[in-house]
Amino acid sequence: MMALPLRSLSRGFASAAKGEHGGAGARTWRLLTFMLALPSVAVCTLNSWLHAGQHQRPEFVPYRHLRIRTKPYSWGDGNHTLFHNPHVNPLPTGYEH
Amino acid sequence: MTHQMHAYHMVNPSPWPLTGALSALLITSGLMMWFHSNSIFLLVLGLITNILTMFQWWRDIIREGTFQGHHTPIVQKGLRYGMILFIISEVLFFTGFFWAFYHSSLVPTTELGGYWPPAGIKPLNPLEVPLLNTAVLLASGVSVTWAHHSILEKDRINAIQALIVTISLGLYFTLLQIMEYYESPFTIADSVYGSTFFMATGFHGFHVIIGSSFLFICLMRQLKFHFTSNHHFGFEAAAWYWHFVDVVWLFLYVSIYWWGS
């Protein structure tokens, strides 16, 4: 059985993403990290925080397909989801405050 | 003194496969006790034995490979096959959740209003935090490649720096997702939308935590001089796993966050 050419994989995904770089070394990838990747993260961070603001809380409509409770949860009073946020998550009976 | 006349690794007897299997039994039965009999004892016992097994088993592998020289090229090839097959199995695992998502969203039932997102669901804006999360994971893919090349070029300081950047980005992603989970106006109980959303993104987040932990172990090993420029498979396995986690996110972003809104 021919052995799989796994040696090429030991070089990692060096030539994947961001196009071909031929013999791109550590210096190139460090440059990409600090000049492209991290600034993009910074821009997206700024964009997110600028758009954060106070979102309008949707009006409560007692839809039957939402806030499903077929069995009580195994924590708390059994009626709150794990990441329950009283400000934006209504219970089956409506918002808590 | 007799020596083995082949390059394979005849592993010494080990208790960890048994303790691992027992921990799996304790975890599964523990979950049943928690869900149906209001007791978390078995579950906690299972989680503790599971963590102990992982710690000791992988510690032994590091001892066998790095300190005792058992990981010859052919042994390493087997480890590569193993990691690849494992990642393939994980791809199939996520395929199930994506199947559930597309099944539910392509033909929305009348109970949901006949449309997707269902009535009463206000999906997250894909151009806010989800886009940031995409940038974070893509950036971490670049930095882990920087780390790899640094290891190949015997650049210790850069390898350490790059690993720190990668792990920090992983942590940033996790914190952002936790915040998103808390701020989200819809919950897991909100129709099949909530179920598919939180099952898919939840398991993904769990895998991000696993991947970040794996990379953290690599950082510790790099600090302790375990890796050489031509033998660092533990790192490569972590990097492959990390790329896999990134790709799953890209599918999640396009399918659930973007198309699904």
Side-chain angles (χ1 to χ4, degrees), chain B residues 128-167:
Chain B
E128 289 177 15
V129 175
L131 183 64
L132 169 57
N133 275 343
T134 305
V136 169
L137 286 184
L138 287 174
S140 70
V142 174
S143 63
V144 81
T145 308
W146 167 29
H148 192 195
H149 281 271
S150 301
I151 291 173
L152 288 166
E153 293 170 23
K154 300 175 163 69
D155 191 335
R156 178 180 165 77
I157 304 293
N158 265 293
I160 290 166
Q161 240 184 58
L163 269 168
I164 290 173
V165 169
T166 309
I167 295 164

Side-chain angles (χ1 to χ4, degrees), chain B residues 73-84:
Chain B
I74 191 113
V75 170
Q76 215 193 110
K77 185 180 274 195
L79 292 169
R80 286 176 193 279
Y81 274 122
M83 191 63 193
I84 288 167

Side-chain angles (χ1 to χ4, degrees), chain A residues 3-4 10-14 24-26 29-30 33-34 45 47-48 51 65 67-69 71 73 84-85 89, chain B residues 35 77 80-81 111 119 127-129 132 142 145-146 148-149 153 158 172 182 184-185 189-191 236 243:
Chain A
L4 284 175
S10 72
R11 298 221 41 137
F13 294 150
W29 287 99
R30 186 176 64 168
T33 300
F34 288 112
T45 300
N47 175 58
S48 288
H51 282 102
H65 64 283
R67 296 156 289 258
I68 295 174
R69 297 284 190 275
K71 184 184 190 301
Y73 293 108
H84 178 77
N85 180 344
N89 302 136
Chain B
F35 292 154
K77 185 180 274 195
R80 286 176 193 279
Y81 274 122
E111 285 87 348
L127 298 174
E128 289 177 15
V129 175
L132 169 57
V142 174
T145 308
W146 167 29
H148 192 195
H149 281 271
E153 293 170 23
N158 265 293
Y172 189 30
Y182 185 66
S184 169
D190 289 328
S191 81
E236 292 180 74
H243 286 301

Side-chain angles (χ1 to χ4, degrees), chain B residues 56 58-70:
Chain B
Q56 292 174 107
W58 285 325
R59 175 208 64 194
D60 285 356
I61 293 173
I62 291 173
R63 285 174 174 174
E64 292 158 5
T66 304
F67 300 126
Q68 295 173 355
H70 286 291

Side-chain angles (χ1 to χ4, degrees), chain A residues 54-85:
Chain A
Q54 279 289 64
H55 284 127
Q56 187 69 340
R57 183 161 95 173
E59 189 194 310
F60 178 73
V61 179
Y63 285 117
R64 296 279 299 277
H65 64 283
L66 301 183
R67 296 156 289 258
I68 295 174
R69 297 284 190 275
T70 47
K71 184 184 190 301
Y73 293 108
S74 300
W75 54 82
D77 70 347
N79 201 24
H80 294 75
T81 59
L82 205 56
F83 290 83
H84 178 77
N85 180 344

Side-chain angles (χ1 to χ4, degrees), chain B residues 233-252:
Chain B
F233 176 65
F235 171 83
E236 292 180 74
W240 289 351
Y241 195 78
W242 192 251
H243 286 301
F244 151 71
V245 157
D246 187 9
V247 170
V248 170
W249 171 260
L250 294 175
F251 276 91
L252 280 174

